[in-house]
Amino acid sequence: MKLGAFSISLSVKDLQKSKDFYEKLGFSVMAGAIEQNYLIMKNDGHLIGLFQAMFDGNMLTFNPGWDQNAQNLESFDDVREIQKHLKENGVQLEKEAEETTSGPEHIFLKDPDGNMILIDQHR
């Protein structure tokens, strides 16, 4: 299964303070905007999404169809294919993708310890 780009999505209290902190660790803004309440920051091949007032808790995020530079991959597993595989293997989903559509869609699931995982396809 190809899950695409990996990042950690952090729910932050103060986006500017978090941005400043992660810049001190060598991250720079790759996408997003403060006025939209989110930033995607990158250090080498590592991605962190900072989100203010968008969701509760932190989560692992995968983006099928993208590489670590948010560039389109030539070949990737559609989120609906990933969903089908997970369900066939007994994985319970918190939110399922609409199977009759194509293009952007997402699913949510939790690992055995309750950690949220988002598989978010943008194309």
Side-chain angles (χ1 to χ4, degrees):
M1 215 172 12
K2 296 177 187 175
L3 296 175
F6 171 75
S7 63
I8 183 87
S9 296
L10 302 175
S11 178
V12 302
K13 294 176 185 166
D14 185 316
L15 187 55
Q16 185 64 54
K17 283 183 181 179
S18 294
K19 174 186 177 287
D20 294 344
F21 175 81
Y22 283 101
E23 284 176 337
K24 291 173 186 171
L25 291 178
F27 284 83
S28 59
V29 174
M30 173 182 163
I34 296 254
E35 56 276 0
Q36 294 177 349
N37 291 330
Y38 84 97
L39 295 170
I40 308 301
M41 301 191 71
K42 185 173 183 181
N43 177 323
D44 196 23
H46 309 291
L47 297 174
I48 297 174
L50 305 175
F51 298 87
Q52 182 175 316
M54 295 181 111
F55 53 83
D56 292 326
N58 302 322
M59 67 184 121
L60 305 175
T61 302
F62 297 92
N63 299 110
W66 278 2
D67 67 13
Q68 290 299 104
N69 294 310
Q71 299 299 307
N72 290 343
L73 294 170
E74 202 170 300
S75 171
F76 68 97
D77 292 343
D78 186 271
V79 69
R80 293 153 198 86
E81 294 171 29
I82 295 168
Q83 173 175 284
K84 181 180 177 190
H85 174 83
L86 294 172
K87 288 171 70 174
E88 287 173 351
N89 284 280
V91 176
Q92 182 177 342
L93 302 177
E94 299 290 314
K95 188 268 180 202
E96 294 187 20
E98 176 57 52
E99 294 177 0
T100 61
T101 63
S102 62
E105 182 59 282
H106 65 278
I107 61 176
F108 282 106
L109 57 142
K110 290 182 180 177
D111 74 8
D113 294 300
N115 298 303
M116 189 63 78
I117 299 169
L118 167 64
I119 302 177
D120 191 17
Q121 180 175 307
H122 295 282
R123 61 184 193 111

